[in-house]
Amino acid sequence: MSKITYNIIGVMSGTSLDGIDLIYATYHLDNSWNFKIHFAETIKYSKQWKTVLSSLVNQSMGQLQAIDLKYSEYLATVISAFINKHKIETIDFIASHGHTALHQPDDGITYQIGNQQILADILKEKVICDFRVQDVELGGQGAPLVPIGDRLLFNDYMYCLNLGGFANISFEFKTERIAYDICPVNIVLNHYVSKLNLEFDDKGQLASRGNVDEDLLLQLNGLPYYMEEPPKSLGLEWVDINMFPIIESYQLKTEDILRTFVEHAAIQISAVLVETSSQVLITGGGVYNSFLIDRLRHFSQVEIVILQNEIIEFKEALIFGLLGVLKERNEINCLKSVTGAKRNHSSGKLLIPKN
């Protein structure tokens, strides 16, 4: 394919419900892929949308489909406002992950809302989206999807670690890329902070004032998921069933829950960072939890690298843009070594605006 430069809007909404991440970036192929982010911003969710999105796992399929349509319309208005605000004129297509409603890959189920035809129709732009479904149909976990971007855009680092709703990691092992969800992070921390009418624990200050409950820590560290070999991935359903009931049973103060959970996350993440003196690139909202980063440094012997805010906050949106580019080129964007699918493949659904 002769085309080597693409101007893309990448869109991502994560399980931590921070908001919708949007980037406008140029991707250029010159022996290897490089990129330039022109504009990037996060559109915070309203309280109403946060409530809706946090309860998706409890909805019937009929209710989910109705929410899906409304969310696709909402996403279109958000993307349109982003385009108008930054006066963006050259767009090859929009690459959108949508928002995960259901993720039960072992049962062959994954559902991202926000990928309906109306998205392309309102925007009058081509959209490449719904990157998980094909992988699950091929027997894979449908996640994580970012590792192909780690390999192509950030291969200077031994480990690429993202601290979002979940901590996920990506690295080369022998001749293959390995990646998986390590443990929950912000999806749990933000849940308990919300009980104090806060969106997040600023710099981990609340957690730092709490005490570790050794019994709870031991029980969390003993969850069977941590013994499983990759490929593996986590979803909100898993947290609801396997983690919240354990934490609630201890009836601890919020600060002590946060402190114990930060310790748990730091222990689980550090257990993966086995190549001492190597570099780990850390991105995602968890980077701003200074206390969590300090605990990671305490338990591991790697060099933690934190780049500029654009990469910290928008790396996933950037990589979903690249996934769209690879799909457009009919090149592999989903690795079987990562997801456990039957084969490497080029995943994503194409939406063409109707006249």
Side-chain angles (χ1 to χ4, degrees):
M1 184 176 290
S2 58
K3 187 175 175 67
I4 58 171
T5 301
Y6 298 83
N7 295 294
I8 309 298
I9 292 177
V11 187
M12 171 70 191
S13 172
T15 48
S16 56
L17 298 180
D18 292 337
I20 299 168
D21 292 338
L22 302 108
I23 60 112
Y24 176 61
T26 298
Y27 304 80
H28 181 73
L29 180 61
D30 183 11
N31 293 320
S32 60
W33 284 103
N34 53 69
F35 65 89
K36 178 175 175 56
I37 298 175
H38 304 288
F39 308 110
E41 65 179 296
T42 299
I43 306 301
K44 298 289 186 183
Y45 282 120
S46 66
K47 188 174 181 180
Q48 182 181 2
W49 269 116
K50 270 195 172 183
T51 300
V52 170
L53 296 176
S54 64
S55 61
L56 292 174
V57 295
N58 303 316
Q59 307 298 325
S60 68
M61 187 53 67
Q63 289 170 321
L64 271 183
Q65 289 169 344
I67 293 169
D68 189 0
L69 186 60
K70 289 182 181 177
Y71 185 75
S72 296
E73 292 176 341
Y74 171 63
L75 203 54
T77 63
V78 169
I79 296 169
S80 181
F82 178 75
I83 293 169
N84 292 333
K85 175 181 177 179
H86 297 290
K87 299 179 172 59
I88 299 170
E89 296 180 353
T90 305
I91 303 171
D92 286 293
F93 57 82
I94 294 158
S96 178
H97 173 265
H99 185 88
T100 303
L102 300 174
H103 188 61
Q104 302 160 19
D106 293 340
D107 297 323
I109 298 169
T110 190
Y111 187 173
Q112 279 66 52
I113 61 172
N115 296 319
Q116 295 299 310
Q117 176 64 38
I118 196 168
L119 181 63
D121 293 346
I122 292 175
L123 292 168
K124 295 181 172 54
E125 297 283 354
K126 181 165 69 174
V127 177
I128 299 177
C129 58
D130 229 358
F131 295 98
R132 291 191 185 201
V133 173
Q134 180 174 291
D135 191 76
V136 172
E137 289 173 349
L138 289 171
Q141 291 283 307
L145 296 173
V146 167
I148 188 71
D150 290 340
R151 171 184 274 182
L152 297 178
L153 299 179
F154 298 100
N155 61 3
D156 290 342
Y157 305 96
M158 175 70 195
Y159 298 106
C160 289
L161 173 67
N162 185 71
L163 300 177
F166 299 91
N168 50 65
I169 196 161
S170 162
F171 56 95
E172 296 292 331
F173 181 71
K174 296 181 179 177
T175 60
E176 294 186 315
R177 194 81 186 180
I178 302 295
Y180 53 93
D181 289 336
I182 301 173
C183 64
V185 182
N186 292 337
I187 199 168
V188 171
L189 295 176
N190 292 354
H191 171 79
Y192 285 102
V193 165
S194 71
K195 296 179 184 297
L196 303 176
N197 294 316
L198 297 170
E199 288 189 21
F200 57 91
D201 182 7
D202 187 25
K203 299 178 182 176
Q205 294 178 67
L206 289 173
S208 70
R209 295 201 291 265
N211 297 305
V212 174
D213 186 291
E214 296 293 345
D215 292 333
L216 174 56
L217 180 62
L218 188 65
Q219 194 169 355
L220 291 175
N221 285 335
L223 284 167
Y225 177 83
Y226 301 128
M227 306 300 118
E228 295 174 13
E229 294 294 322
K232 58 181 181 177
S233 61
L234 292 166
L236 176 57
E237 304 96 311
W238 184 90
V239 177
D240 280 343
I241 294 168
N242 296 282
M243 192 160 271
F244 284 147
I246 293 174
I247 296 172
E248 296 293 338
S249 71
Y250 282 79
Q251 298 182 322
L252 301 175
K253 293 189 302 183
T254 299
E255 288 85 350
D256 294 343
I257 291 174
L258 296 172
R259 177 67 183 89
T260 305
F261 196 81
V262 164
E263 198 79 351
H264 165 66
I267 288 170
Q268 293 302 325
I269 294 166
S270 298
V272 178
L273 305 175
V274 295
E275 294 291 334
T276 58
S277 302
S278 59
Q279 289 189 321
V280 52
L281 173 64
I282 305 185
T283 56
V287 167
Y288 301 117
N289 188 323
S290 306
F291 184 62
L292 173 58
I293 299 299
D294 286 344
R295 297 312 292 163
L296 275 176
R297 288 195 169 103
H298 172 79
F299 285 112
S300 63
Q301 294 180 293
V302 296
E303 179 188 346
I304 290 175
V305 178
I306 298 172
L307 300 179
Q308 65 269 32
N309 287 358
E310 274 189 348
I311 302 301
I312 292 171
E313 297 174 18
F314 298 100
K315 176 169 167 274
E316 288 191 296
L318 173 73
I319 289 180
F320 276 104
L322 179 65
L323 260 67
V325 168
L326 296 173
K327 175 63 178 179
E328 177 78 354
R329 295 168 62 88
N330 197 31
E331 295 177 1
I332 291 167
N333 64 5
C334 224
L335 301 170
K336 66 177 182 178
S337 63
V338 169
T339 68
K342 294 173 185 174
R343 64 176 187 273
N344 293 333
H345 56 101
S346 188
S347 187
K349 179 172 73 175
L350 181 63
L351 302 178
I352 302 295
K354 295 176 182 175
N355 294 327

PDB file of all heavy atoms in Angstrom, residues 45-53:
ATOM      1  N   TYR A  45     -17.160  12.907  31.984  1.00  0.00           N
ATOM      2  CA  TYR A  45     -18.550  12.452  31.948  1.00  0.00           C
ATOM      3  C   TYR A  45     -19.399  13.255  32.932  1.00  0.00           C
ATOM      4  O   TYR A  45     -18.934  13.607  34.026  1.00  0.00           O
ATOM      5  CB  TYR A  45     -18.641  10.974  32.313  1.00  0.00           C
ATOM      6  CG  TYR A  45     -18.252  10.037  31.193  1.00  0.00           C
ATOM      7  CD1 TYR A  45     -17.194   9.152  31.342  1.00  0.00           C
ATOM      8  CD2 TYR A  45     -18.947  10.024  29.990  1.00  0.00           C
ATOM      9  CE1 TYR A  45     -16.834   8.281  30.325  1.00  0.00           C
ATOM     10  CE2 TYR A  45     -18.598   9.169  28.970  1.00  0.00           C
ATOM     11  CZ  TYR A  45     -17.533   8.296  29.141  1.00  0.00           C
ATOM     12  OH  TYR A  45     -17.186   7.442  28.126  1.00  0.00           O
ATOM     13  N   SER A  46     -20.644  13.496  32.551  1.00  0.00           N
ATOM     14  CA  SER A  46     -21.599  14.080  33.490  1.00  0.00           C
ATOM     15  C   SER A  46     -21.913  13.045  34.569  1.00  0.00           C
ATOM     16  O   SER A  46     -21.652  11.844  34.401  1.00  0.00           O
ATOM     17  CB  SER A  46     -22.891  14.469  32.767  1.00  0.00           C
ATOM     18  OG  SER A  46     -23.544  13.295  32.284  1.00  0.00           O
ATOM     19  N   LYS A  47     -22.469  13.484  35.658  1.00  0.00           N
ATOM     20  CA  LYS A  47     -22.849  12.573  36.738  1.00  0.00           C
ATOM     21  C   LYS A  47     -23.845  11.536  36.231  1.00  0.00           C
ATOM     22  O   LYS A  47     -23.789  10.357  36.599  1.00  0.00           O
ATOM     23  CB  LYS A  47     -23.453  13.370  37.900  1.00  0.00           C
ATOM     24  CG  LYS A  47     -23.706  12.545  39.147  1.00  0.00           C
ATOM     25  CD  LYS A  47     -24.163  13.414  40.309  1.00  0.00           C
ATOM     26  CE  LYS A  47     -24.379  12.563  41.556  1.00  0.00           C
ATOM     27  NZ  LYS A  47     -24.834  13.400  42.711  1.00  0.00           N
ATOM     28  N   GLN A  48     -24.732  11.975  35.339  1.00  0.00           N
ATOM     29  CA  GLN A  48     -25.746  11.068  34.778  1.00  0.00           C
ATOM     30  C   GLN A  48     -25.093   9.955  33.957  1.00  0.00           C
ATOM     31  O   GLN A  48     -25.415   8.776  34.118  1.00  0.00           O
ATOM     32  CB  GLN A  48     -26.724  11.852  33.917  1.00  0.00           C
ATOM     33  CG  GLN A  48     -27.833  10.985  33.326  1.00  0.00           C
ATOM     34  CD  GLN A  48     -28.789  11.794  32.457  1.00  0.00           C
ATOM     35  OE1 GLN A  48     -28.600  12.994  32.270  1.00  0.00           O
ATOM     36  NE2 GLN A  48     -29.808  11.134  31.947  1.00  0.00           N
ATOM     37  N   TRP A  49     -24.146  10.328  33.087  1.00  0.00           N
ATOM     38  CA  TRP A  49     -23.488   9.312  32.266  1.00  0.00           C
ATOM     39  C   TRP A  49     -22.623   8.391  33.121  1.00  0.00           C
ATOM     40  O   TRP A  49     -22.548   7.185  32.872  1.00  0.00           O
ATOM     41  CB  TRP A  49     -22.641   9.961  31.161  1.00  0.00           C
ATOM     42  CG  TRP A  49     -23.397  10.153  29.889  1.00  0.00           C
ATOM     43  CD1 TRP A  49     -23.714  11.327  29.277  1.00  0.00           C
ATOM     44  CD2 TRP A  49     -23.958   9.119  29.063  1.00  0.00           C
ATOM     45  NE1 TRP A  49     -24.435  11.100  28.132  1.00  0.00           N
ATOM     46  CE2 TRP A  49     -24.591   9.756  27.967  1.00  0.00           C
ATOM     47  CE3 TRP A  49     -23.986   7.729  29.131  1.00  0.00           C
ATOM     48  CZ2 TRP A  49     -25.248   9.043  26.962  1.00  0.00           C
ATOM     49  CZ3 TRP A  49     -24.638   7.016  28.130  1.00  0.00           C
ATOM     50  CH2 TRP A  49     -25.256   7.666  27.066  1.00  0.00           C
ATOM     51  N   LYS A  50     -21.997   8.937  34.155  1.00  0.00           N
ATOM     52  CA  LYS A  50     -21.213   8.084  35.062  1.00  0.00           C
ATOM     53  C   LYS A  50     -22.091   7.024  35.710  1.00  0.00           C
ATOM     54  O   LYS A  50     -21.708   5.859  35.828  1.00  0.00           O
ATOM     55  CB  LYS A  50     -20.531   8.931  36.143  1.00  0.00           C
ATOM     56  CG  LYS A  50     -19.162   9.432  35.786  1.00  0.00           C
ATOM     57  CD  LYS A  50     -18.434   9.942  37.021  1.00  0.00           C
ATOM     58  CE  LYS A  50     -16.983  10.257  36.696  1.00  0.00           C
ATOM     59  NZ  LYS A  50     -16.231  10.686  37.879  1.00  0.00           N
ATOM     60  N   THR A  51     -23.271   7.447  36.119  1.00  0.00           N
ATOM     61  CA  THR A  51     -24.207   6.505  36.752  1.00  0.00           C
ATOM     62  C   THR A  51     -24.620   5.422  35.770  1.00  0.00           C
ATOM     63  O   THR A  51     -24.639   4.231  36.103  1.00  0.00           O
ATOM     64  CB  THR A  51     -25.457   7.255  37.263  1.00  0.00           C
ATOM     65  OG1 THR A  51     -25.048   8.245  38.215  1.00  0.00           O
ATOM     66  CG2 THR A  51     -26.432   6.292  37.917  1.00  0.00           C
ATOM     67  N   VAL A  52     -24.944   5.824  34.552  1.00  0.00           N
ATOM     68  CA  VAL A  52     -25.362   4.860  33.526  1.00  0.00           C
ATOM     69  C   VAL A  52     -24.241   3.878  33.212  1.00  0.00           C
ATOM     70  O   VAL A  52     -24.435   2.653  33.193  1.00  0.00           O
ATOM     71  CB  VAL A  52     -25.802   5.599  32.238  1.00  0.00           C
ATOM     72  CG1 VAL A  52     -26.006   4.610  31.084  1.00  0.00           C
ATOM     73  CG2 VAL A  52     -27.089   6.376  32.482  1.00  0.00           C
ATOM     74  N   LEU A  53     -23.041   4.397  32.989  1.00  0.00           N
ATOM     75  CA  LEU A  53     -21.925   3.553  32.559  1.00  0.00           C
ATOM     76  C   LEU A  53     -21.435   2.625  33.672  1.00  0.00           C
ATOM     77  O   LEU A  53     -20.951   1.529  33.397  1.00  0.00           O
ATOM     78  CB  LEU A  53     -20.772   4.416  32.050  1.00  0.00           C
ATOM     79  CG  LEU A  53     -21.069   5.252  30.795  1.00  0.00           C
ATOM     80  CD1 LEU A  53     -19.883   6.142  30.451  1.00  0.00           C
ATOM     81  CD2 LEU A  53     -21.434   4.374  29.614  1.00  0.00           C
TER      82      LEU A  53
END
